[in-house]
């Protein structure tokens, strides 16, 4: 993946961006985590987790904080966490590969509003910095033109070419501006943490 462009994520507003749809494939690849009852009235919270091993799953840190799962490890810079979760060992562990700009990707997760598995497709647009309460300045995220809805945080991003796991969904942005000129480069993008940002951490934490 190329070096980070001089981009700035301005916001994480709205409820969803782009097109997404019900997906049986998403149900095979990711799990739903919930505290309370997810409804259109906003009662309860819902997110997505990715099975890693027979005992662990990977998700967004902001999902792990409000889930019922015990957290094994928090990423030091990015919105990621490993949680204890019993998983079917079939097809585990997943194969990871970092993607490149312009690559086609598939996103899988659960919708907060319907509690149904959903998916979307798109391509990688650019690297960017996302600094908030869950991400430090050093955590590079990828902006993509795939659809995403609240609840998909913690879900999986797969490289379409070889079906390898490329990263973890952490949110969406209303627009991404060039840091120097202020010009808006992209609007309504999905955001995910790429494998390159957490590969060493993941290996270390799942060995112990």
């Amino acid at each position: 993946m190329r070096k980070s462009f001089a981009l700035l994520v301005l916001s994480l507003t709205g409820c969803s961006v782009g097109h997404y749809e019900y997906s049986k494939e998403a149900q095979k690849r990711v799990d739903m985590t919930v505290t309370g009852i997810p409804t259109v009235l906003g009662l309860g919270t819902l997110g997505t987790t990715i099975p890693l091993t027979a005992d662990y799953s990977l998700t967004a840190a902001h999902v792990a904080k409000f889930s019922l799962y015990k957290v094994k490890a928090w990423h030091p810079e990015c919105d990621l966490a490993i949680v204890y979760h019993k998983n079917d060992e079939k097809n585990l562990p997943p194969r990871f590969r970092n993607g490149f700009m312009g690559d086609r990707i598939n996103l899988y997760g659960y919708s907060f509003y319907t509690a149904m598995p959903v998916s979307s497709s798109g391509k990688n647009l650019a690297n960017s910095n996302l600094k908030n309460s869950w991400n430090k300045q050093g955590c590079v995220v990828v902006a993509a033109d795939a659809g995403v809805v609240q609840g998909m945080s913690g879900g999986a991003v797969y490289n379409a070419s070889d079906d390898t796991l490329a990263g973890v969904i952490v949110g969406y942005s209303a627009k991404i501006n060039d840091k120097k000129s202020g010009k808006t480069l992209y609007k309504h993008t999905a955001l995910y943490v790429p494998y390159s940002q957490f590969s060493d951490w993941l290996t270390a934490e799942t060995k112990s």
Side-chain angles (χ1 to χ4, degrees), residues 14 21 29-30 33 44 50 104 115 130 147 173 183 197 202 207:
E21 58 188 25
R29 295 174 183 260
V30 294
T33 178
I50 305 168
R104 300 293 302 179
L130 172 59
S173 177
K183 178 182 177 181
Q197 293 292 293
L202 186 68
K207 280 183 177 180

Side-chain angles (χ1 to χ4, degrees), residues 28 33 40 59 64 71 73 75 87 99 109 145 168 180 192 194 200:
K28 299 176 184 178
T33 178
V40 293
T59 189
V71 175
H75 193 280
N87 298 305
D145 61 5
V168 182
K180 294 182 179 179
Y192 74 90
D200 292 343

